[in-house]
Amino acid sequence: MRKMRDGNKTKGQLVRDITERKRTEQALLTSAQEWRTTFDTISDCVSLLDLKGEILRCNRAMSNLLRKPFSEIIGHICWELIHNASGPIEGCPFVRMRKTRQRETLSLLIDNRWFSIFLDPILDETGNVVGAVHIMSDITERKKAERELEKYRLISENTSDLVALTTFDLNVTYTYISPSHKRTLGYESEELIGKSMLNLINSEDKLKLLMMLRKYIESKTLEHFARGSPNLSEVIELRMRDKYGKWHYLQTTVNSIENELLFLSKDLTERKKMEEELARIEKLESLGILAGGIAHDFNNILLGILGNISLVKMSVDVRNKAEIFKILTEAEKACLRAKDLTQQLLTFSKGGKPVKKIASLGRLIKESISFALRGSNVRCEFSIPDDLWLAEIDEGQIAEVLNNVVINAEQAMPEGGIIWVAAENTEVGEVGVEHPISLKGGKYIKVSIKDGGIGIPQEHLSKIFDPFFTTKEKGSGLGLTTSYSIIRNHEGYIEVESELGVGTTITFYLPASPKEVLKKVVVEEGPIVGKGKILLMDDEETIRNLVKTMLTHLGYEIELAKDGVEAIELYKKAKETGPPFDVVIMDLTIPGGMGGKEAIEKLIEIDPEVKAIVSSGYSDDEIMVEFRKYGFSDAIAKPYKIQEMSAILHKVIATTGK
């Protein structure tokens, strides 16, 4: 400021020197008309600032935003009008721009709307900053979209479902996959992006997917998508193989997003297994009554055949009739094989309740499998740790499982090969370790038997545990069904994985036991001659007469009863008049009459020291397993050889008490 003293100005008048300002304006803008033409037609708020932040010019969008006429904007500092602040706000891009002489940006929320602020320096001919272009862009909608995208990103990255984007063509090329692909299928993002989804899908399901896509592509669906009218929304079930070769059942919803496909997949693998297992259990239970009845009657018939063969063998002079003795021995073996078949029927249909004891599963695995493969062109490699946990099992039943599985593996490799058998300790519920969903928490022994054979077709995998299902020319189709029931009744789990041309792996889990192994009791073999008075109760006359003949040959005195009522009367009479019976042998089931369960209760009332043996064709019945709990001294399943009955009689008579 200075006072003007020339004749054209009034003495004392104050005058502002605006030379620099005019120079800046001239550098910033050629003409007001050019400003109007260029900036008043755009939606962004544009203004020109001098070095102090004072607004020199602004466009109509800025006036509308501030709700002020141009006269109340021009000449004011930008932060006073825009931010209602007395000085630059924190992170002010104008201040930063003056220092850096480069574009500076900032995003701010103003009156509930988001703006992106750009400050571009204006330089004079010498390169000095003389002002700035101030641009404000409304990015509220973009912010909303970003928040929505972030929300969907978080959902995608944290959901257990598989989320994938692919190209909308018959190549179905991955453009995005969610992290759940790593957790479920084992693949990292970079392993799949740019590759076709079809590489992972089962061939049958691949065809279904391609037919569905082709229908939309041929109907020019892409044109609809380009106009924002997606019309593809289908649910399809796909079987997809993970990185390690395991198949997963995926319930997949396929939707279109512009020119891409969105796949949302839920892994139903464990649920599918549970459904198949429940269906299999229901199927087995529906056959239970029929199969059990057949097995019981069949066992009685077999006892008649087997007993008579045993009697004839006892009468044959082996030195002079060796050929006859050999034929009888073969007939006896055939009966015993038939007995095994009835036991399989009972096991898969009604359960075949295991008679458990503590055992070393590692020892049983090696002994059973080595015996099953003896003389074959297949060898076995074992991987069994020394510290493998003990299990409470029915050794005979688990040996049967091992035998069934290994025989199938051997037959899958007719040219020979190797079977790999591994056992390990595992704990269900342990963090980071996957187990079948149907297993309860706790410690288990996991056994895997893997062959390098021809494999099982995918369509057969769900049926291999079904009764009478077999792909072999010879075989009853009961081996794996029986194995399934045995493992289930041990509160374990069995599953199968297979790939054609690669091989099959059958894995089963058995609960571990903290108990110690009991010392094995050696049972004396061969017929044992005895002495004593025996009461035999059975509803079938042929069985009564046959067993009487067998036991008479061994030296016993026998009396017969057709049911529990008659047996009780005979026992009471013998006790009163003497001599009393040393042992009572009772059939468990008497159709239309009193069976062994009811009769033993009455006999205990008469004589608390009664010695009784329960016998039945229902070898899986709880009373046959827990016979002592019901008052019996021992149990024997029909059919039986004379040697077996003689050993049990000898033991019971020689034992004091029950």
Side-chain angles (χ1 to χ4, degrees):
M1 303 290 184
R2 58 189 178 85
K3 293 183 179 180
M4 305 297 295
R5 302 183 184 277
D6 56 16
N8 296 327
K9 299 294 182 180
T10 303
K11 186 177 181 180
Q13 183 177 3
L14 295 177
V15 178
R16 187 189 300 270
D17 188 348
I18 60 172
T19 305
E20 288 300 322
R21 177 173 171 177
K22 287 293 185 181
R23 186 179 297 123
T24 298
E25 287 187 27
Q26 186 63 36
L28 299 175
L29 187 65
T30 303
S31 68
Q33 183 61 38
E34 182 180 346
W35 173 268
R36 296 277 189 272
T37 304
T38 305
F39 296 108
D40 272 1
T41 57
I42 65 176
S43 59
D44 289 344
C45 302
V46 183
S47 59
L48 299 178
L49 309 179
D50 64 12
L51 289 178
K52 295 178 294 183
E54 185 176 312
I55 299 174
L56 304 178
R57 288 187 182 276
C58 70
N59 67 348
R60 193 171 303 281
M62 176 68 85
S63 174
N64 293 336
L65 174 67
L66 299 177
R67 298 184 182 90
K68 295 178 181 293
F70 292 111
S71 59
E72 295 181 18
I73 298 174
I74 304 302
H76 290 271
I77 304 298
C78 63
W79 48 77
E80 293 176 349
L81 288 175
I82 298 173
H83 308 298
N84 195 27
S86 58
I89 64 172
E90 183 178 355
C92 179
F94 179 78
V95 175
R96 297 202 311 268
M97 181 224 54
R98 291 186 60 179
K99 293 180 180 179
T100 63
R101 301 171 64 196
Q102 296 178 349
R103 166 178 279 203
E104 296 292 340
T105 63
L106 181 69
S107 293
L108 284 177
L109 184 64
I110 303 173
D111 292 337
N112 295 319
R113 297 193 69 81
W114 280 96
F115 289 88
S116 181
I117 301 175
F118 301 89
L119 264 295
D120 281 320
I122 298 177
L123 309 176
D124 62 13
E125 61 275 7
T126 62
N128 294 318
V129 177
V130 294
V133 177
H134 182 285
I135 302 174
M136 295 176 62
S137 298
D138 189 336
I139 58 170
T140 305
E141 294 305 317
R142 193 181 82 189
K143 278 285 186 181
K144 287 181 180 178
E146 288 175 354
R147 283 199 299 271
E148 288 297 311
L149 287 173
E150 177 65 12
K151 180 168 65 178
Y152 291 125
R153 184 189 67 79
L154 290 173
I155 293 173
S156 171
E157 291 185 356
N158 291 281
T159 182
S160 59
D161 293 347
L162 306 182
V163 182
L165 286 172
T166 73
T167 55
F168 188 23
D169 52 34
L170 297 182
N171 290 323
V172 200
T173 304
Y174 282 113
T175 58
Y176 167 81
I177 66 166
S178 61
S180 51
H181 281 73
K182 169 67 175 178
R183 296 189 293 268
T184 303
L185 301 178
Y187 290 103
E188 300 286 355
S189 174
E190 55 270 19
E191 294 181 272
L192 294 181
I193 300 299
K195 297 179 181 177
S196 174
M197 176 189 287
L198 302 177
N199 296 333
L200 308 181
I201 300 175
N202 170 271
S203 56
E204 293 179 3
D205 299 339
K206 185 189 304 183
L207 182 61
K208 288 192 298 184
L209 178 62
L210 289 175
M211 289 177 64
M212 182 187 75
L213 295 179
R214 185 177 287 112
K215 179 180 68 174
Y216 285 94
I217 291 173
E218 290 177 353
S219 63
K220 299 181 179 179
T221 309
L222 285 174
E223 295 180 9
H224 295 290
F225 293 153
R227 294 197 295 269
S229 302
N231 61 353
L232 174 57
S233 180
E234 296 279 351
V235 178
I236 187 172
E237 190 169 285
L238 301 175
R239 284 165 289 179
M240 190 171 285
R241 183 161 44 194
D242 65 20
K243 190 174 181 178
Y244 313 104
K246 180 180 177 181
W247 288 99
H248 294 256
Y249 289 86
L250 304 179
Q251 185 182 63
T252 302
T253 302
V254 187
N255 287 293
S256 55
I257 299 180
E258 296 182 349
N259 291 331
E260 288 185 303
L261 290 174
L262 172 64
F263 288 82
L264 301 175
S265 302
K266 185 179 293 293
D267 190 352
L268 302 181
T269 306
E270 291 302 326
R271 195 178 89 180
K272 277 279 189 181
K273 287 183 178 179
M274 288 290 290
E275 289 174 352
E276 289 173 0
E277 187 169 0
L278 288 173
R280 189 175 296 117
I281 291 171
E282 290 176 0
K283 187 183 296 183
L284 296 181
E285 289 176 348
S286 68
L287 290 171
I289 297 174
L290 174 63
I294 292 173
H296 173 264
D297 293 342
F298 195 39
N299 278 335
N300 276 336
I301 296 170
L302 285 176
L303 177 56
I305 299 171
L306 190 60
N308 280 301
I309 290 173
S310 297
L311 288 174
V312 175
K313 286 180 67 177
M314 291 173 65
S315 304
V316 170
D317 185 342
V318 180
R319 291 171 299 180
N320 300 323
K321 304 290 184 179
E323 188 64 29
I324 294 176
F325 191 87
K326 181 180 178 182
I327 293 171
L328 291 172
T329 301
E330 289 302 317
E332 189 177 55
K333 289 179 181 178
C335 286
L336 293 175
R337 284 197 296 271
K339 175 185 175 181
D340 292 338
L341 180 59
T342 61
Q343 184 57 44
Q344 282 188 321
L345 282 168
L346 286 169
T347 299
F348 88 76
S349 64
K350 296 188 65 180
K353 187 172 182 179
V355 182
K356 298 180 183 179
K357 63 180 181 180
I358 305 302
S360 168
L361 191 57
R363 174 192 57 78
L364 182 64
I365 291 170
K366 290 180 179 178
E367 289 179 358
S368 299
I369 293 179
S370 298
F371 180 80
L373 294 177
R374 190 172 297 167
S376 73
N377 60 350
V378 173
R379 66 183 177 88
C380 188
E381 291 189 1
F382 296 98
S383 176
I384 302 175
D386 294 334
D387 62 347
L388 191 68
W389 291 330
L390 300 174
E392 192 169 5
I393 58 175
D394 184 318
E395 288 193 67
Q397 289 190 359
I398 298 303
E400 184 177 356
V401 171
L402 294 167
N403 183 74
N404 290 337
V405 173
V406 169
I407 292 301
N408 280 346
E410 179 193 12
Q411 292 174 348
M413 299 186 292
E415 304 301 321
I418 301 174
I419 296 175
W420 294 272
V421 179
E424 61 179 296
N425 300 324
T426 187
E427 189 163 355
V428 173
E430 184 180 351
V431 177
V433 181
E434 291 188 8
H435 295 97
I437 195 171
S438 60
L439 283 179
K440 300 176 182 177
K443 293 183 177 180
Y444 289 81
I445 302 166
K446 177 183 178 182
V447 180
S448 298
I449 302 174
K450 179 182 179 181
D451 65 57
I454 57 177
I456 302 170
Q458 186 72 27
E459 62 271 19
H460 291 165
L461 276 178
S462 62
K463 303 176 183 177
I464 65 165
F465 294 121
D466 289 355
F468 308 111
F469 176 81
T470 180
T471 57
K472 296 179 290 186
E473 293 182 4
K474 295 182 179 180
S476 64
L478 289 176
L480 289 180
T481 309
T482 303
S483 300
Y484 172 85
S485 290
I486 289 172
I487 297 299
R488 183 167 64 90
N489 289 321
H490 278 76
E491 298 181 1
Y493 181 82
I494 185 169
E495 62 184 354
V496 60
E497 294 181 358
S498 187
E499 184 175 353
L500 284 176
V502 176
T504 300
T505 301
I506 290 184
T507 303
F508 62 85
Y509 296 77
L510 290 171
S513 174
K515 300 178 184 178
E516 295 182 357
V517 179
L518 298 175
K519 291 184 179 180
K520 188 173 181 180
V521 178
V522 178
V523 180
E524 187 178 351
E525 296 291 338
I528 303 173
V529 175
K531 201 193 300 185
K533 188 176 180 181
I534 310 296
L535 174 59
L536 173 67
M537 182 193 84
D538 198 290
D539 64 305
E540 293 196 23
E541 184 179 2
T542 55
I543 299 298
R544 293 197 301 270
N545 294 332
L546 171 64
V547 176
K548 179 178 180 178
T549 304
M550 292 169 61
L551 297 183
T552 301
H553 270 75
L554 294 176
Y556 293 102
E557 179 185 346
I558 311 296
E559 286 194 32
L560 305 175
K562 64 179 179 298
D563 58 25
V565 174
E566 187 177 359
I568 292 168
E569 289 300 320
L570 289 173
Y571 190 90
K572 187 187 300 184
K573 182 178 178 182
K575 185 174 177 60
E576 292 172 353
T577 61
F581 290 105
D582 295 293
V583 178
V584 182
I585 303 171
M586 290 192 288
D587 193 4
L588 181 60
T589 306
I590 303 292
M594 182 186 290
K597 180 180 179 182
E598 296 82 6
I600 189 63
E601 294 174 357
K602 301 293 183 182
L603 290 179
I604 291 173
E605 292 177 5
I606 298 170
D607 179 10
E609 300 300 321
V610 62
K611 296 179 180 180
I613 299 170
V614 61
S615 179
S616 178
Y618 291 111
S619 58
D620 64 323
D621 193 286
E622 182 183 6
I623 296 176
M624 296 292 290
V625 178
E626 305 284 349
F627 56 85
R628 293 191 185 278
K629 187 168 72 175
Y630 292 89
F632 293 100
S633 301
D634 216 319
I636 186 167
K638 296 178 182 177
Y640 47 79
K641 295 191 293 183
I642 192 170
Q643 294 94 328
E644 295 171 307
M645 176 57 84
S646 68
I648 289 179
L649 278 173
H650 177 76
K651 181 177 69 172
V652 171
I653 291 175
T655 303
T656 301
K658 290 185 285 293

